[in-house]
Amino acid sequence: MNVFKEACCSVLGVLLALFLQGSCVDPETEVVHKAVGDSLELIAEYPKKDLEAQWKYHESDFAVYQNNDFRIAKPELFSGRLKLYKDNISVTVTNLKLQDSGSFSIVALAVNNTHITQYTTKRIELHVHDLIREVNIQYDYSWLQSQNICLFHLRCAASDDPGTFYSWSGHQIGTQGSDLNITLGPEEKNTVTCTARNNVSIKSTTEDVVCTRKSDGSSFPQKYVLMAVGAGVVAVVVLCGALAACCRWRNKRGPSESEAGITVYEDVNVSPAKKRSESVINGMSIYETVDDTKLSQNLPQTLYDKINYQRHPAVSTSTSSPYQEVLAPKM
């Protein structure tokens, strides 16, 4: 009897060792694709009676179900992202990250006092992907003078996920891959669409490309042309501003010496030594010097002196006003 018990214990120990190391039965592997932030549910789909199960990640235990008890075996492995459910005996890994990609397995057996049943190990190969949120098309082209065509090279880019697939569509276009080469004639236009997809998302973008004839085989960037045009416009504006400022400065400075005689009111009094032809340079005046020479007599220089030099000495019985001689007609 003791020998039988020892034999049973030996067999049970071997089976438990195999259980801890993984099943010797050929596994059934399931490939699962998830997006970053998703959850992975690992259900022990075995009979619940006498069930013992282990959840492994790269052959390292992270959860154990035994004697109707559930526990986390390695808390640091998924750091607070594990949820255990006894109703269906499952483990859920939440908030998946790219580094969670790898091999998961569920090893299970039924153990009672007389019999041990080994269940088929369930294996899951997990691939975690980034969601494709934006797709961009970049391109450049060259003008081939000898063939009179534009050669376009286009590149489609989405995420850094190596599992991203690209496809192109458009007029007479249908190809795979992130790069595309097409040719267009002068002024010919084509609308191309790039579609990026991985196992968890898909997104597209569209771009219009037009063939513009070049003077040589190089593709001169349009921005340099715009910069040159802008510099020319600025130079013209600066030159016009300088000319306008020069004109305003000359106007504020006033007439030159040669222009000083062109006035409305000319110099009336000139020096005794000058004549009329010498006092006015150009003669362009309304009010000029009346006489070439001033009178030698020392008389007041007034408007009335010009008209009547000899004033009446006194008022007599024959005249009532000093101005009567001027105003009254001669008899």
Side-chain angles (χ1 to χ4, degrees):
M1 190 69 176
N2 290 333
V3 173
F4 177 77
K5 284 175 109 175
E6 290 177 2
C8 288
C9 289
S10 296
V11 172
L12 183 59
V14 172
L15 290 174
L16 287 175
L18 291 174
F19 169 71
L20 294 174
Q21 294 175 1
S23 173
C24 60
V25 180
D26 292 335
E28 296 180 0
T29 302
E30 178 186 2
V31 178
V32 176
H33 296 275
K34 294 287 185 178
V36 172
D38 285 350
S39 298
L40 174 66
E41 188 178 31
L42 303 170
I43 303 176
E45 299 175 325
Y46 308 105
K48 293 183 179 180
K49 185 179 180 181
D50 302 325
L51 179 65
E52 295 184 6
Q54 290 180 324
W55 284 258
K56 297 176 177 289
Y57 176 68
H58 292 304
E59 303 304 326
S60 178
D61 297 347
F62 64 89
V64 175
Y65 179 83
Q66 190 175 22
N67 298 326
N68 202 30
D69 180 53
F70 231 150
R71 63 184 177 87
I72 295 175
K74 208 168 188 179
E76 70 276 9
L77 190 56
F78 293 101
S79 185
R81 295 186 289 130
L82 292 179
K83 294 185 180 298
L84 311 180
Y85 300 95
K86 291 182 65 174
D87 54 346
N88 62 348
I89 311 179
S90 67
V91 176
T92 299
V93 184
T94 63
N95 192 23
L96 289 173
K97 302 178 181 179
L98 290 174
Q99 57 266 32
D100 293 335
S101 297
S103 299
F104 290 80
S105 60
I106 304 174
V107 181
L109 51 79
V111 180
N112 55 36
N113 293 331
T114 59
H115 188 69
I116 298 176
T117 302
Q118 178 70 47
Y119 296 118
T120 301
T121 298
K122 181 178 181 180
R123 292 188 178 273
I124 300 95
E125 190 69 26
L126 174 65
H127 300 276
V128 183
H129 308 271
D130 272 322
L131 287 173
I132 298 175
R133 304 183 185 278
E134 185 178 7
V135 181
N136 296 306
I137 295 178
Q138 300 174 348
Y139 71 91
D140 56 23
Y141 74 97
S142 299
W143 169 251
L144 304 183
Q145 182 70 36
S146 59
Q147 302 180 40
N148 197 37
I149 60 172
C150 290
L151 175 61
F152 284 85
H153 176 73
L154 300 97
R155 176 180 292 274
C156 188
S159 62
D160 295 330
D161 186 357
T164 302
F165 300 92
Y166 299 92
S167 61
W168 296 88
S169 61
H171 180 60
Q172 297 181 349
I173 296 175
T175 185
Q176 304 290 326
S178 59
D179 295 287
L180 174 67
N181 293 319
I182 60 173
T183 58
L184 297 176
E187 308 306 324
E188 186 179 357
K189 175 182 176 181
N190 200 347
T191 301
V192 296
T193 300
C194 174
T195 301
R197 61 165 58 87
N198 57 18
N199 294 96
V200 296
S201 58
I202 181 172
K203 198 171 184 64
S204 299
T205 189
T206 300
E207 186 76 29
D208 292 330
V209 292
V210 181
C211 175
T212 303
R213 191 190 304 269
K214 300 289 184 180
S215 59
D216 53 26
S218 62
S219 178
F220 191 76
Q222 186 179 7
K223 64 179 181 179
Y224 296 120
V225 177
L226 297 177
M227 289 172 61
V229 173
V233 172
V234 171
V236 171
V237 172
V238 171
L239 180 59
C240 293
L243 292 175
C246 181
C247 292
R248 286 197 299 269
W249 177 78
R250 292 191 61 183
N251 291 334
K252 290 182 178 180
R253 191 185 65 172
S256 62
E257 183 179 354
S258 62
E259 298 171 344
I262 308 177
T263 61
V264 177
Y265 297 93
E266 187 60 78
D267 186 12
V268 176
N269 297 319
V270 296
S271 64
K274 288 186 179 181
K275 295 182 179 181
R276 181 178 183 274
S277 60
E278 298 174 351
S279 63
V280 181
I281 298 174
N282 50 22
M284 302 282 297
S285 173
I286 296 177
Y287 299 94
E288 295 183 357
T289 306
V290 177
D291 297 322
D292 286 338
T293 59
K294 295 183 179 180
L295 296 176
S296 59
Q297 59 186 14
N298 188 15
L299 296 176
Q301 299 295 313
T302 66
L303 178 62
Y304 299 102
D305 289 330
K306 295 289 183 178
I307 298 173
N308 184 12
Y309 288 119
Q310 299 297 328
R311 298 179 180 177
H312 200 279
V315 177
S316 63
T317 57
S318 60
T319 59
S320 61
S321 171
Y323 302 100
Q324 184 174 358
E325 184 179 351
V326 176
L327 299 176
K330 294 183 180 181
M331 298 301 292

